[in-house]
Amino acid sequence: MTTLEQGGSAASRSSGAGAQPPARAPQDGARSSGGSRPGAGGRRRSPSSVSQLTAWAFAAPVVVYLLAFYAVPLYRNLDLSLRDYTVRSFVQGGAEFNDFANYTTVVADPTFWPALWHTLVFTFVSIGVQFALGMALAVFFFQHFRLSTTLRALFLVPWLLPLIVSASTWAWMLNSDSGVVNYALSLVGVDPVHWLTSPQWALTSVIIANIWIGIPFNLVIVYSGLQSIPADVYEAASLDGAGPWQKFWRITFPLLRPVTAITLLLGLVYTLKVFDIIWIMTRGGPGDSSQTFATWAYDESFGNVLPRFGSGSAISTLLILMALVAGLVYIRAQHKQEAS
Amino acid sequence: MKRSIVSRRLSTAVALAAVATLGLSACGGGSAPGGAASSDSGSAGGTYTVWDPYPQFDDSSAWVQLLKKCGTDNGVTVERTGYDTTDLTNKALLAAQQGTSPDVILIDNPVISTLADAGALTDTETLGLDTSGFEENLLGAGVVDGKTYGVPVGANTLSLYYNKDVLDAAGVDPASITDWTTLTAALEKVSAAGKKGITFSAIGTEEGSFQFLPWFWGSGADLTELDSSQGVAALSLWKDWLDKGYAPNSVINNTQTTSWQEFATGEYAFSENGTWQLGNVKDAGFTWGVIPIPAEGGGVAPAPTGGEFVAAPVQSDDSRYATTTKLISCLTSPENALATDTTLSYIGATQAVQSEQEKDAELKPWVEAVQGAKGRTSDNLGTDYPLISEQMWDAVQAALSGSKTPEQAMKDAQTAAASATS
């Protein structure tokens, strides 16, 4: 490790030595040939403040972008969730602050606890199964057998399809009366299952569809993680007599830990906010049986002719907090891992 | 060492980016700026903007041509944008908030009371628009507290399409269906003959309420009392059909379009659907007919009216209203309305257009259905309607999916609706 780093810095030093002089030369040239001109400027502004300004100028686009597209929407969302919005006050302005009334309404709503439970089940079951299957497939394809590249590419298809296409396709396949899944079941003598229209199955159905869509993401990231594990570690393990199981649990799994952590965190955030699949397949129904926070927030804000922006944005805020907590947990875990 | 710094930075960045993405997607709708900005006020002539929910029509279509012509006739240029129906309500509200409303908007009739309540629409009296030619039952959807906001461009409603081949095979005469008992008996015969009974849309959106209303009203129930015995009877009728297999379980997720696709397979005897399918049914490849939806005890059930209103959103510069009024009058004049209603498969909203359409045998039953129809926001329900409707479709979903009995579902719905509208 140390030798590598030394080598790296030596290389950068030498490349820097090669690159810097030409960059500096025109500056020097300008200064010397310009004579008094840069001196006049230098009196008013010290070179350091100029470079500071330049730095800010370079940062400005990003700062503006972050403010306009991240800070302002977040602020607006929070603002909406703390006010008593009706259609009239939304248009005419003057919605009054009502402290946390929207939040208490949301928590007291009969949909709250089922929706929270569905959100957690949807998220954790999806991530767990996606990751397990993604990892299994990644390890499988890492064997480099014939056609493995082609097959791996095929596994990416769910990722490439627009969500509306895959969700609609799932909805057709799971249709109670004309769906191919129930047809297949009927061939083996199983009674039709009301996948999307019974309260017992709706959540399961959307989870299945979501897992299918999420596998490629896990597959790709874990696969790239596998590539970073040096082959000689496996060789050494083989010489020591480790079997395939041992190699997986003692080498692959521990060395993949950083990749695992980031995959799970990204998966968590992606899955928490999954909206399209549920909305297209069941609209959170029947009743509230597949309602998650994401669909509920949308339903409150836009699902009715009479929008309830206050409670809709309150639910969104709760959702953001959930993701934030997940992010913080991840960062903490990362620090601990580095410290140890 | 180096690696750990990089990875720490990376992880922080990832966490931040992830949270930020979530934040954006979660609240994007609430704070997105309005759509197309309307033209600036002022100069004589100038540009007038029109929004409509007919994205299927492009610039070469008769509808857009008519808009342009109405503009040129009144010395202005018309700039038109077509939006998706569900999108248009949000767009209209946001535009009203930003002060970028179009001059003329065509919007689904139950939304009118919401927009009027938001103070986003100009009433016809202020506009100086004559509403006397329009049918009272259709205009009713646009009346809030005695003021009329906009006029209907046309109307549609629901009836029962039937597949004559299926009915003949089962030995059912469509003329014999006059009430719920005879309809259920017909469905039983069709099922016994190995075909499927009826398909409709009971999806958990306004579409589901729209489809349920003819049965709800047909039982004599009233929207202010969802859990009346009549209301429960209507829901039990549907539930009963599902339990006996007369209607497919997929109705719980069906939109009116997907339920029509089921009917178009030729396997179903009936489909509860609207005027707008008249064009499609001719391509269906089987003999078809239309009967009105029967009321529980016989006679025709009042169906809800669908279709758009032409309205004038509030403008900061009220000198624009004069031209706006001329544009609306042009669009709804009998000959233009007839042309528009024909393209949209709508029934006219004025006596003049309706009597013209009655000459067509295919349209005659629909004209009658529209004349007997009722606005959803009528009876001065106004903005209470969406709140009641939401509870009603929830109840329908709960009962049909079996998570509640019809009685319990309607009782819960009434409790929720009462607290929401109080």
Side-chain angles (χ1 to χ4, degrees):
Chain A
M1 196 65 208
T2 40
T3 47
L4 229 166
E5 217 157 72
Q6 272 175 353
S9 54
S12 75
R13 209 176 297 140
S14 68
S15 76
Q20 267 171 349
R24 211 178 280 149
Q27 257 184 350
D28 290 346
R31 224 170 260 168
S32 57
S33 69
S36 60
R37 191 171 54 86
R43 214 168 291 149
R44 241 175 283 146
R45 263 180 213 155
S46 72
S48 77
S49 88
V50 168
S51 75
Q52 195 115 33
L53 274 181
T54 322
W56 275 110
F58 271 104
V62 167
V63 172
V64 169
Y65 171 77
L66 286 176
L67 281 178
F69 291 96
Y70 293 86
V72 173
L74 272 175
Y75 166 74
R76 275 287 287 158
N77 190 51
L78 205 63
D79 184 55
L80 268 174
S81 74
L82 294 174
R83 286 173 191 268
D84 179 24
Y85 266 100
T86 60
V87 186
R88 173 164 274 276
S89 56
F90 180 75
V91 171
Q92 310 287 349
E96 285 182 12
F97 265 108
N98 59 356
D99 297 328
F100 291 93
N102 287 324
Y103 290 88
T104 46
T105 321
V106 162
V107 175
D109 195 289
T111 309
F112 181 80
W113 294 108
L116 179 63
W117 173 242
H118 296 153
T119 309
L120 295 177
V121 170
F122 181 84
T123 307
F124 288 105
V125 173
S126 290
I127 293 180
V129 179
Q130 269 169 13
F131 184 72
L133 290 178
M135 161 115 52
L137 285 167
V139 172
F140 177 63
F141 284 119
F142 204 60
Q143 317 276 318
H144 295 298
F145 50 90
R146 212 178 274 231
L147 282 182
S148 72
T149 327
T150 321
L151 278 175
R152 195 159 51 89
L154 282 179
F155 263 95
L156 296 187
V157 166
W159 207 12
L160 304 177
L161 284 178
L163 277 176
I164 178 124
V165 174
S166 32
S168 305
T169 311
W170 274 101
W172 286 335
M173 294 201 310
L174 295 175
N175 186 294
S176 303
D177 305 280
S178 50
V180 70
V181 176
N182 275 351
Y183 177 71
L185 288 179
S186 75
L187 290 182
V188 293
V190 178
D191 279 342
V193 175
H194 297 315
W195 294 103
L196 301 174
T197 52
S198 81
Q200 294 83 21
W201 283 102
L203 188 63
T204 315
S205 305
V206 292
I207 290 177
I208 292 174
N210 189 52
I211 289 172
W212 178 79
I213 289 166
I215 286 175
F217 173 73
N218 289 272
L219 168 63
V220 167
I221 299 207
V222 174
Y223 190 87
S224 68
L226 286 178
Q227 283 172 323
S228 70
I229 301 177
D232 43 7
V233 186
Y234 287 106
E235 255 170 57
S238 296
L239 288 177
D240 288 341
W245 251 155
Q246 274 180 315
K247 275 196 229 167
F248 177 77
W249 286 115
R250 300 281 168 90
I251 301 174
T252 314
F253 200 69
L255 285 180
L256 275 181
R257 199 175 288 159
V259 177
T260 307
I262 212 151
T263 315
L264 290 181
L265 176 82
L266 284 177
L268 185 69
V269 175
Y270 281 142
T271 317
L272 268 179
K273 70 181 175 75
V274 163
F275 164 76
D276 333 44
I277 303 165
I278 305 180
W279 193 252
I280 294 163
M281 287 177 69
T282 66
R283 285 181 192 259
D288 281 329
S289 53
S290 53
Q291 195 84 279
T292 64
F293 272 12
T295 56
W296 190 29
Y298 181 87
D299 206 28
E300 286 288 303
S301 307
F302 308 108
N304 190 304
V305 179
L306 217 56
R308 289 180 292 263
F309 295 118
S311 41
S313 51
I315 302 165
S316 304
T317 310
L318 294 178
L319 201 55
I320 294 170
L321 285 180
M322 284 163 81
L324 193 66
V325 167
L328 292 178
V329 167
Y330 170 77
I331 290 173
R332 234 187 115 91
Q334 191 78 8
H335 280 199
K336 249 188 208 162
Q337 201 179 323
E338 277 157 15
S340 63
Chain B
M1 189 59 189
K2 201 174 180 183
R3 189 170 162 208
S4 78
I5 289 173
V6 169
S7 88
R8 189 187 302 152
R9 274 200 196 138
L10 179 70
S11 61
T12 317
V14 165
L16 279 177
V19 167
T21 321
L22 180 67
L24 249 194
S25 66
C27 67
S31 51
S38 73
S39 63
D40 289 317
S41 60
S43 59
T47 306
Y48 279 70
T49 45
V50 178
W51 289 359
D52 66 49
Y54 314 129
Q56 70 271 31
F57 294 137
D58 63 15
D59 281 356
S60 63
S61 64
W63 164 246
V64 179
Q65 293 299 324
L66 172 65
L67 282 175
K68 303 254 182 228
K69 192 178 165 297
C70 283
T72 0
D73 288 356
N74 292 296
V76 294
T77 320
V78 167
E79 207 179 276
R80 170 263 183 183
T81 319
Y83 290 101
D84 189 60
T85 312
T86 45
D87 223 19
L88 190 57
T89 311
N90 297 327
K91 283 270 184 338
L93 280 173
L94 283 166
Q97 189 199 37
Q98 310 285 325
T100 55
S101 292
D103 292 287
V104 176
I105 191 166
L106 280 97
I107 197 157
D108 199 15
N109 71 74
V111 181
I112 289 286
S113 60
T114 301
L115 289 181
D117 186 52
L121 294 180
T122 316
D123 64 288
T124 49
E125 204 177 312
T126 314
L127 287 173
L129 188 68
D130 179 24
T131 60
S132 58
F134 294 89
E135 294 286 319
E136 198 99 353
N137 67 328
L138 301 178
L139 203 57
V143 180
V144 179
D145 295 332
K147 284 187 176 173
T148 310
Y149 297 87
V151 290
V153 68
N156 57 54
T157 194
L158 297 165
S159 285
L160 291 177
Y161 285 89
Y162 62 82
N163 182 332
K164 187 132 194 335
D165 304 342
V166 173
L167 288 186
D168 282 349
V172 174
D173 176 11
S176 71
I177 296 163
T178 52
D179 56 19
W180 288 4
T181 324
T182 45
L183 178 58
T184 306
L187 295 178
E188 195 181 345
K189 276 190 192 170
V190 170
S191 281
K195 290 287 184 179
K196 291 169 182 170
I198 184 168
T199 168
F200 47 87
S201 156
I203 193 169
T205 64
E206 181 56 34
E207 228 171 325
S209 286
F210 183 68
Q211 289 248 322
F212 182 62
L213 273 172
W215 312 96
F216 184 81
W217 281 334
S219 69
D222 192 289
L223 280 172
T224 51
E225 197 189 346
L226 292 173
D227 59 347
S228 64
S229 61
Q230 293 97 324
V232 173
L235 187 49
S236 303
L237 179 76
W238 270 17
K239 172 73 178 150
D240 197 39
W241 288 349
L242 253 72
D243 287 347
K244 291 186 173 146
Y246 299 165
N249 197 271
S250 53
V251 295
I252 298 172
N253 266 350
N254 269 355
T255 62
Q256 299 186 96
T257 310
T258 44
S259 95
W260 182 260
Q261 286 161 352
E262 291 181 339
F263 181 65
T265 59
E267 292 292 306
Y268 288 83
F270 296 97
S271 168
E272 180 188 359
N273 231 302
T275 331
W276 58 90
Q277 300 290 11
L278 265 179
N280 295 330
V281 76
K282 289 169 192 162
D283 304 330
F286 48 73
T287 334
W288 58 276
V290 173
I291 54 167
I293 298 174
E296 181 173 18
V300 176
T305 50
E308 285 75 30
F309 264 56
V310 199
V314 169
Q315 303 291 330
S316 50
D317 173 12
D318 55 14
S319 68
R320 296 178 72 83
Y321 291 146
T323 311
T324 303
T325 308
K326 282 185 201 150
L327 286 177
I328 296 179
S329 306
C330 171
L331 291 174
T332 53
S333 73
E335 61 273 24
N336 286 339
L338 180 61
T340 305
D341 292 338
T342 310
T343 9
L344 291 169
S345 275
Y346 281 7
I347 299 302
T350 54
Q351 185 69 48
V353 179
Q354 287 184 356
S355 55
E356 198 61 38
Q357 288 178 317
E358 259 174 332
K359 292 173 189 160
D360 184 340
E362 270 174 14
L363 288 178
K364 198 163 188 298
W366 289 104
V367 175
E368 283 163 15
V370 163
Q371 283 165 351
K374 193 169 157 180
R376 280 163 278 175
T377 49
S378 305
D379 301 336
N380 214 22
L381 280 179
T383 48
D384 281 351
Y385 172 74
L387 300 169
I388 298 171
S389 167
E390 186 178 20
Q391 299 307 326
M392 187 163 72
W393 80 58
D394 273 349
V396 170
Q397 289 252 305
L400 296 191
S401 67
S403 58
K404 287 178 191 169
T405 63
E407 292 81 18
Q408 191 60 44
M410 282 307 215
K411 202 169 156 238
D412 293 351
Q414 177 58 33
T415 316
S419 79
T421 55
S422 62

